Every structure is written in structure tokens, then in C-alpha cells.
Amino acid sequence: MSSLSSTEAFPANTPAASQIFTTVLSEGPLTRLDLARRAGLSAAAVTKAVRPLIEAGYLVEDVDEDARPALGRPANLVRVDGGRALFIGVKVTGDEIIGVLTDLCCRIMVARHLPLAGRDPVPVLASTVELVRELLTEADGLGVPVMGLGIAVSGAVDRAEGVVRYSPFLEWHDVPLAELTAATTGLPVTVDNDVRALTVAEQWFGAGVGLSDFAVVTVGAGIGCGLVVHGKVVAGAHGVAGEIGHVTVDPAGPPCHCGNRGCVESIAGDAAIVHQVSAATGTEVTDAAQALALAREGVAGARAAYARAGDAIGRGIATVANLFGPERVIISGEGLAAYDLFAEQIRDAFTAAAFGSAEQCDLKTRPLPFEEWARGAAATAIQSFIRSDAH
């Protein structure tokens, strides 16, 4: 195991210091005055919080000679030194493991993919550890310590306990993934739902920066949703908040693996679209790529399946907008490869089903490479590192 993995404590040992560092991380560089305004703290409190972070090398103060106030003292910009620490993020799918090594600003430095031969927790854990060791070796070459490991898995995940309660794609039940991985890697481990992890990355480093209330909706093998309410990612009492994939939009629709009928996922998930295209065209369609190719060729049954999927997604997003009124909904996921085939239906269905001013919600599409899911996992590790002493 790498000699550069570390259990060093983060010096922001109060909630205020954690908040200030997070603000600089996502919105910086900032002056102390800007920090005080955005954090709602006094200048003295900001100075007290910033000092140990600068001394420990996590923050750097730059003098901006051009930003000189009337009294003559230059305003100093405070920024995060991204190279001060490294983190590893791992996304586990049904077919492969994607791992990334990032800096403290969650910029991907190295990415690795490792195919899975099976979905049993024991070999998946072994493959995960193998991939983590590869990334730790990469970190050795950079001479910077790795401070944490984040793992993202689909399904119901108890982040506080580090347990995967139920992952339908992996067919896992009550797997103590954080404990098992920490024991074999020696790193602090954070395990979270993959969509929530992606939401953390968007909140701190992406299209959600500066927004108090927004949602991330992912389209692909499943239909997921991450929620940020009053600046906090919401997991809910049982870790399944935001499961719009299992909101019923057509009571007479197809059966869903969850046991209900007409869920968004049973209409708009990849497997559902493949099944609909096969039935409509009389062609044996084996995967989403083949279904998409038929739709692009103009095959009517295939195009109709995507149009129906768009309608279901739009109604699901409207449900989110009606329930908590986000400023923005970010639409992402591998399913965006087909976005041109159902974008109009998403917008029309959303407009029809959104109530009142909820219709003003900004729908923003954000195509992301699959490594971004692993980056989301790294973001949760960064989040845990920053907040470990503050909470």
C-alpha cells in the first residue's frame, strides 16, 4: 500500500471554518471581505478561520496589487491549493469499476477502468482494492498524500453507516462496503448513492455552484435524482430521497422491477426503451446503442419509444419541481446520448405538469463522461475530509 495515504486531520475544526473553506473551494478565489459577506460571518471570524488553513497549506493568499482600496492596503485573494491533497473516487457499475485520482479541487488527474467478471461483493471488493492500489501508486509518483476514498454505488445507500442497503443492479443487500474497504486500503472511506455523489460534485464544482436549491436528474440504465435543499444534499430518513425513477406517471404503464406499474424508470430506463423498441419493431434489440441507432435511422417504433421516455422524464421532473421548487434541474447521465430524440417531449411534459411558478425552473442539460460518476465519489471523500472534525 502507498506510503502516501494519510490520516492527517483537516485543520478546519469548527463549522464556521469548514463553511469558509467550502466557500473558497467552490467559489474562490475570494477576498476576506467577500468571504465574510457570503458566509454571513464577521471579518474577525473569517480571519480566525483562515489563519490555520493558510498555515497548514490548504489555503494560499495572493496579493492582488490591482485591487487596492482607497486607504492603500491591497486586497488579498484567498484560494485553495488544489495540490495540497489527493483523493480517490470509485464508481461501481454492474459491468465495471471506474476509478479516478483527483486533487483537492476535484480535478481528475488519472482515470482507470477495470471490467468486472461478476457482481458478488467479494470479487467486486477485491477488484476495487486492486484499482485503488493502482491509483495510490500514481499518487506516489506525485508525492502528495491521499486523504480519502469515496465509493459510489446505485441504490439505497446509508452513508452514515457506510452500508449498501440495496443495489438492484448489483443485487446487493446490506453490504458494509465502507468498513470492508477501509480495512483493506487503510484509507478513510465514504460510501454514497451514485446520484447523490454526482450531486455533491455539481454543488461544489459544477452547474450547482452558488445555488441553494437545485436537483440533478440522471438518465440511463436507471432514472435517478439528487436533491439540494437550502444548500444541503438530501438523503432522507431512509437514504432514498429523490427516487423519481419510481414515481408513477402512467398507472396503466408497464410493470417495474420495484413491483409497481408505470414508473418513470419502467418507461424511460435503458432496459425499458430496449424492450419497447424490440416490441414495436419486431427486431431483437440487445442494448441501448442498437435502440438508439434504429431511432436515428428514423424507424417509427424506435422513435416513439424515445418520445414516450421523454414524456415520462418530463413528468418526473415536474413532480420534483412541484414538490420543492428548485431553481434549476440539471439533466445528466449516459442517456443524454439520445437527448435530441426526446428533448422536446421532456420540455412539453414538464410545462404541462409543472404547477404555477414551478414552470420557471431552469432545465439545464449537462452531458458528462462516465468518469464524472467516479469524480462524484471523490467529491464525497473531499466533503467528508473537510467536515470530519466540524461535525
Side-chain angles (χ1 to χ4, degrees):
M1 194 60 59
S2 168
S3 60
L4 289 176
S5 59
S6 174
T7 55
E8 173 186 333
F10 187 64
N13 56 4
T14 67
S18 175
Q19 178 189 2
I20 286 168
F21 185 83
T22 303
T23 301
V24 179
L25 184 64
S26 60
E27 301 180 47
L30 296 168
T31 65
R32 282 180 168 81
L33 181 59
D34 284 337
L35 262 175
R37 288 170 177 164
R38 298 189 192 201
L41 298 170
S42 68
V46 169
T47 296
K48 181 179 179 180
V50 164
R51 186 180 298 115
L53 291 165
I54 290 176
E55 291 173 352
Y58 288 97
L59 291 181
V60 177
E61 193 168 22
D62 297 324
V63 177
D64 185 350
E65 295 291 350
D66 295 327
R68 187 178 294 275
L71 295 179
R73 182 176 180 180
N76 294 344
L77 290 170
V78 179
R79 60 178 173 82
V80 172
D81 180 1
R84 174 63 175 79
L86 299 177
F87 295 83
I88 293 173
V90 172
K91 157 69 172 165
V92 182
T93 77
D95 305 308
E96 67 173 347
I97 303 174
I98 303 102
V100 296
L101 180 69
T102 79
D103 67 4
L104 182 54
C105 295
C106 215
R107 293 175 292 222
I108 295 175
M109 307 179 75
V110 180
R112 293 281 187 274
H113 290 244
L114 190 64
L116 283 177
R119 300 179 181 180
D120 184 79
V122 174
V124 170
L125 176 63
S127 296
T128 300
V129 172
E130 177 186 343
L131 189 60
V132 169
R133 284 177 173 155
E134 285 185 22
L135 293 171
L136 284 169
T137 300
E138 294 283 351
D140 274 341
L142 298 171
V144 180
V146 174
M147 298 298 193
L149 164 64
I151 304 176
V153 181
S154 65
V157 179
D158 184 338
R159 174 169 170 168
E161 298 296 325
V163 175
V164 180
R165 298 297 180 192
Y166 173 55
S167 180
F169 293 118
L170 292 169
E171 300 176 353
W172 285 5
H173 293 269
D174 296 320
V175 176
L177 190 58
E179 179 184 349
L180 294 172
T181 312
T184 50
T185 64
L187 290 167
V189 179
T190 302
V191 176
D192 208 343
N193 167 270
D194 55 354
V195 179
R196 280 201 301 272
L198 188 64
T199 302
V200 171
E202 288 300 291
Q203 180 187 27
W204 283 17
F205 308 106
V209 169
L211 300 182
S212 174
D213 300 271
F214 72 94
V216 174
V217 171
T218 57
V219 180
I223 308 297
C225 179
L227 305 174
V228 173
V229 180
H230 299 321
K232 297 184 181 297
V233 178
V234 177
H238 306 289
V240 292
E243 281 288 349
I244 69 163
H246 299 289
V247 169
T248 298
V249 292
D250 181 3
C256 182
H257 63 80
C258 74
N260 294 316
R261 298 189 72 91
C263 297
V264 176
E265 194 166 298
S266 73
I267 299 170
D270 282 349
I273 292 174
V274 168
H275 177 76
Q276 291 176 61
V277 173
S278 294
T281 62
T283 303
E284 185 180 352
V285 180
T286 58
D287 56 29
Q290 188 179 354
L292 179 58
L294 289 171
R296 294 227 188 281
E297 291 170 8
V299 177
R303 295 188 71 88
Y306 281 99
R308 188 184 183 193
D311 182 81
I313 294 166
R315 291 181 181 278
I317 293 173
T319 299
V320 172
N322 291 342
L323 283 174
F324 83 101
E327 182 177 345
R328 174 177 293 162
V329 172
I330 302 161
I331 306 172
S332 189
E334 66 274 18
L336 283 191
Y339 189 70
D340 58 302
L341 295 173
F342 51 51
E344 183 179 350
Q345 287 79 9
I346 289 177
R347 171 55 71 179
D348 289 348
F350 171 78
T351 301
F355 175 76
S357 58
E359 185 185 341
Q360 297 175 18
C361 174
D362 173 37
L363 301 188
K364 181 180 180 65
T365 58
R366 186 160 156 79
L368 297 171
F370 218 68
E371 287 79 9
E372 290 294 317
W373 292 90
R375 179 174 177 261
T380 66
I382 294 170
Q383 184 184 60
S384 293
F385 176 65
I386 292 169
R387 296 179 175 176
S388 59
D389 290 337
H391 301 285

